[in-house]
């Protein structure tokens, strides 16, 4: 219909190029009017749409806000027959799903980081609020009707489908999108449903969730039962990410997902309400604006990847974690040609010599000792010692009486003889001291000293010093490996060039834009939630792992991919993408080299400064520690006075956490060994260590190339480190 004449406000205008095509009609630009667009309905729909459009224009909704493309003027043909309407032209904007889906975001919003997504989420909420303030209900709120600009501003289109009332006449919203329709509206006709703000609040929450969770749909998970479609999961209120209703939903999030626990409690609670059982409890747009402003203010920047911003409530960077689990970098770091970071001057050998020269103190050297004196045993020991000689005293008295009695009354010599014999026996007899209570007192005092010693060593940082030195040794080993690792990585780029070209080619074909029999909006959202967004993501094993995708649908997906794959032609001539891939690899290694330099330099300086501080702390022990030492010394002295043997206090040791052994290369120095037997360092086997950086490896599934679908070991620090092994 391009160049067709139409009438707008009594004036003849000409349609320009087609801007869009939808189920109800097409959208065109107007010749000479860059801020205006025209929607022309399909001929069979014009009669049923005319009254509503005219009512919206009469209601002057277009002048109420610039955030919504409301109908502004009626468009007719030359005979005055209704064709459609004009609206504000939203140029340079993209549909919402092209922002929250990682692959399409890389294409259309390459500079967008998580701050941008949170800001867009706020603006979506603001736009919905303006619709409600204008007296309308969106009804069919979905990601295709929400457009996002490069500056994070938002515009709503398809306003002619909104529910609207004028002069007592209601104009309903008769359409809906399965994955944005609230549970209470599933399973019935929408034609006669009176929409409410609570219904819009559900769709708004879905859009916000998908922005915050990298395109995951809140109801797309794995149900502990027969596979459910996305519509069934929504209708049955099975919010896959719920923590409060986990036992009721019996559904778990897709692999590699952001979790509610990663967000502030206020955001998690709002999402629980939005996807809970009570429609009236769903947060409204104003509430979301306030909550998302708080989320934006609390975002932290990742120390490893500069483009990573994540909620401050999370324990670590979400996007590093997701990249290590899925192999997909959510926010790639942009690289300008020729901008490989340069490492400054650094003498590794000199640093290594200094590390080996460090003499870390042993616990015996830094633990305070008690130098007091004990004049006498404790009262309890004195009493026990006195009780031990009571028989001898009794015997002496008896013997003395026998001697005196024998001199005074010799006729009773037999009696006095027996008494004297009794006395002699008692003189050479002693009571045996019960050692149990004294041993217990000593053991309790010794345990108290041990606890105080560990707390003291923790306080002065001795354990951290041993860990820091081990970290420095590992950093030196990794630094020496970098050159070899870079050479291997560059060689791997050459070997996988065709695979990379194919993956880039297939990534151009988005499932959302495809027409595949049996794959509607709900299944498309489910596929995206399980990381399948483009033809490059489609493999037999990956599709079969998605709930609701059996052999028939899997075969259709594979056929669609193969259709595009058959059009691929390998280009053996080096192109700019090869240079960019090489520079990205060199930049990653240069960044790692700089980080290791800083770690070695700062760690060595910190250790050198910590040693004298640690030794000097011995001169100022705390009172509790001194008291514990004194109590043990008294208990030990009591046992010695009573002849009770007790074990000598054992040496205090430092337990170092298990560390992954890095396999040294030929050029690497041997790691330092601990000179002190009190240092317990356990190193595990190198079987699960990354060959590039030494970090732990995790099982992942290859998503691209000839090995797609196969499992392999990948570095847990991906994408900072891309080390792999089969």
């Amino acid at each position: 219909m391009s160049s067709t004449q139409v009438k707008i406000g009594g004036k003849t205008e000409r349609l320009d190029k087609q801007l869009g095509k939808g189920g109800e009609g097409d959208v065109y630009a107007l010749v000479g009017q860059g801020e205006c667009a025209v929607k022309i309905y399909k001929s069979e729909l014009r009669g049923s749409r005319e009254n509503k459009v005219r009512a919206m224009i009469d209601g002057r909704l277009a002048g109420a806000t610039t955030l919504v493309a409301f109908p502004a003027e009626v468009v007719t043909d030359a005979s005055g027959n209704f064709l459609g309407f004009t609206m504000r032209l939203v140029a340079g904007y993209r549909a919402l799903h092209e922002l929250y889906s990682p692959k399409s975001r890389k294409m259309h919003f390459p500079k967008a980081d998580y701050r941008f997504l949170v800001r867009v989420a706020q603006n979506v909420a603001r736009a919905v609020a303006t619709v409600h303030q204008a007296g309308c209900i969106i009804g069919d709120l979905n990601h295709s009707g929400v457009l996002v600009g490069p500056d994070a501003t938002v515009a709503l289109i398809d306003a002619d489908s909104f529910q609207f009332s004028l002069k007592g006449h209601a104009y309903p919203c008769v359409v809906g999108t399965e994955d944005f329709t609230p549970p209470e509206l599933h399973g019935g006709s929408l034609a006669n449903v009176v929409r409410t703000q609570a219904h819009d609040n559900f769709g708004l929450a879905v859009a916000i969730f998908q922005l915050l969770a990298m395109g995951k749909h809140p109801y797309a998970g794995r149900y502990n039962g027969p596979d459910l479609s996305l519509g069934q999961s929504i209708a049955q209120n099975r919010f896959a990410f719920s923590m409060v209703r986990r036992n009721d939903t019996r559904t778990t999030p897709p692999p590699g997902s952001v979790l509610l626990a990663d967000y502030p409690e206020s955001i998690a609670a709002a999402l629980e309400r939005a996807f809970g059982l009570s429609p009236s409890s769903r947060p409204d747009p104003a509430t979301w604006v306030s909550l998302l402003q708080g989320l934006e203010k609390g975002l932290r920047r990742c120390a490893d990847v500069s483009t990573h911003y994540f909620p401050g409530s999370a324990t670590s960077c979400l996007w590093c974690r997701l990249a290590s689990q899925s192999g997909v970098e959510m926010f790639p770091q942009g690289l300008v040609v020729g901008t490989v970071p340069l490492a400054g001057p650094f003498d590794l050998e000199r640093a290594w010599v200094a590390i080996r020269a460090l003499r870390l103190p042993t616990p015996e050297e830094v633990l305070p000792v008690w130098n007091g004196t004990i004049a006498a045993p404790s009262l309890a020991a004195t009493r026990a010692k006195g009780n031990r000689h009571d028989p001898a005293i009794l015997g002496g008295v008896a013997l003395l009486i026998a001697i005196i009695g024998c001199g005074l009354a010799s006729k009773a010599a037999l009696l006095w003889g027996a008494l004297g014999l009794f006395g002699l026996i008692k003189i050479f007899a002693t009571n045996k001291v019960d050692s149990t209570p004294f041993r217990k007192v000593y053991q309790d005092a010794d345990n108290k000293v041990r606890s105080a010693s560990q707390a003291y060593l923790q306080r002065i940082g001795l354990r951290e010093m041993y860990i820091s030195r081990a970290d420095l040794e590992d950093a030196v080993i990794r630094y020496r490996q970098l050159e070899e690792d870079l050479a291997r990585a560059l060689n791997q780029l050459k070997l996988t060039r065709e695979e990379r070209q194919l993956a880039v080619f297939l990534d151009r074909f988005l499932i959302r834009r495809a027409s595949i029999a049996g794959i509607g909006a709900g299944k498309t959202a489910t596929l995206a939630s399980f990381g399948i967004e483009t033809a490059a993501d489609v493999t037999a094993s990956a599709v079969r792992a998605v709930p609701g995708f059996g052999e028939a649908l899997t075969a259709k997906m594979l056929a669609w991919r193969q259709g595009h794959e058959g059009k691929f032609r390998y280009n053996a001539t080096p192109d700019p993408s090869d240079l960019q891939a090489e520079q990205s690899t060199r930049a990653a290694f240069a960044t790692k080299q700089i980080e290791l330099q800083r770690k070695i330099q700062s760690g060595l300086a910190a250790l050198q400064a910590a040693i004298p501080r640690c030794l000097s702390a011995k001169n100022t022990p705390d009172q509790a520690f001194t008291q514990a030492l004194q109590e043990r010394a008294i208990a030990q002295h009591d046992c010695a006075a009573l002849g009770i043997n007790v074990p000598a206090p054992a040496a205090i040791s430092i337990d170092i956490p298990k560390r992954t052994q890095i396999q040294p290369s030929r050029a690497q120095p041997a790691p330092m060994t601990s000179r002190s037997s009190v240092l317990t360092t356990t190193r595990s086997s190198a079987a699960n260590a990354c060959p590039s950086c030494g970090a732990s490896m995790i099982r992942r599934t290859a998503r691209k190339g000839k090995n797609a679908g196969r499992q392999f070991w990948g570095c847990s620090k991906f994408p900072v480190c891309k080390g792999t092994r089969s």
Side-chain angles (χ1 to χ4, degrees), residues 1-64:
M1 191 176 287
S2 183
S3 298
T4 300
Q5 289 185 348
V6 296
K7 281 200 169 185
I8 303 172
K11 296 181 180 179
T12 300
E13 304 285 354
R14 301 185 75 82
L15 299 181
D16 203 343
K17 62 180 180 180
Q18 187 179 54
L19 301 176
K21 189 176 181 67
E24 292 190 335
D26 304 328
V27 178
Y28 297 88
L30 278 175
V31 175
Q33 296 191 35
E35 298 182 356
C36 187
V38 170
K39 179 173 182 178
I40 304 296
Y41 286 107
K42 292 181 178 179
S43 57
E44 64 271 19
L45 296 177
R46 293 169 188 169
S48 60
R49 299 293 188 266
E50 182 176 358
N51 289 340
K52 183 177 182 180
V53 169
R54 290 186 180 276
M56 284 187 156
I57 294 171
D58 290 344
R60 299 182 179 181
L61 296 176

Side-chain angles (χ1 to χ4, degrees), residues 145-394:
V146 182
L147 302 185
V148 181
D151 56 354
T153 55
V154 166
L156 303 183
I157 59 173
D158 295 333
D160 53 314
S161 70
F162 293 0
Q163 179 177 289
F164 173 67
S165 297
L166 183 69
K167 297 178 181 179
H169 188 83
Y171 300 92
C173 173
V174 298
V175 293
T177 304
E178 180 185 46
D179 43 328
F180 282 80
T181 299
E184 63 270 22
L185 297 186
H186 274 263
S189 172
L190 298 175
N192 299 315
V193 173
V194 177
R195 307 296 181 93
T196 67
Q197 291 186 6
H199 298 152
D200 278 359
N201 292 343
F202 179 85
L204 172 62
V206 172
I208 289 173
F209 185 92
Q210 292 192 290
L211 281 167
L212 299 183
M214 304 293 100
K216 306 288 186 186
H217 192 281
Y219 290 83
R222 190 170 298 284
Y223 172 57
N224 184 20
D227 283 351
L228 299 175
S229 68
L230 186 59
Q232 290 173 323
S233 295
I234 297 174
Q236 296 177 21
N237 281 292
R238 300 192 185 279
F239 175 32
F241 295 76
S242 179
M243 296 186 294
V244 175
R245 297 191 298 114
R246 184 179 301 164
N247 293 335
D248 296 331
T249 64
R250 297 170 57 198
T251 308
T252 55
S257 296
V258 176
L259 306 176
L260 290 196
D262 295 320
Y263 291 100
E265 291 183 7
S266 59
I267 295 290
L271 290 169
E272 292 279 13
R273 296 197 307 274
F275 305 123
L277 303 178
S278 173
S280 62
S281 297
R282 295 166 187 159
D284 60 22
T287 300
W288 276 119
V289 171
S290 177
L291 290 172
L292 292 167
Q293 285 176 333
L295 176 62
E296 183 180 15
K297 291 177 182 177
L299 293 178
R300 287 192 290 156
R301 192 173 191 175
C302 176
D304 296 324
V305 184
S306 61
T307 54
H308 287 183
Y309 291 85
F310 61 96
S313 55
T315 55
S316 60
C317 178
L318 306 185
W319 319 126
C320 287
R321 185 187 79 200
L322 263 58
S324 68
Q325 293 172 350
S326 66
V328 177
E329 173 53 59
M330 298 296 171
F331 302 99
Q333 297 188 79
L335 179 67
V336 179
V337 176
T339 59
V340 176
L342 296 176
F346 178 64
D347 191 338
L348 179 65
E349 296 306 321
R350 183 176 179 179
W352 176 246
V353 171
I355 293 170
R356 298 195 65 180
L358 288 173
R359 181 187 178 280
L360 301 186
T362 65
E364 287 85 355
E365 291 175 311
V366 298
L367 283 173
V369 295
W370 187 72
N371 296 318
T373 57
I374 303 172
S378 67
L379 181 60
T382 301
R383 287 175 178 173
K385 190 174 183 180
N387 293 338
R388 185 175 63 177
H389 298 293
D390 285 350
I393 296 172
L394 178 62

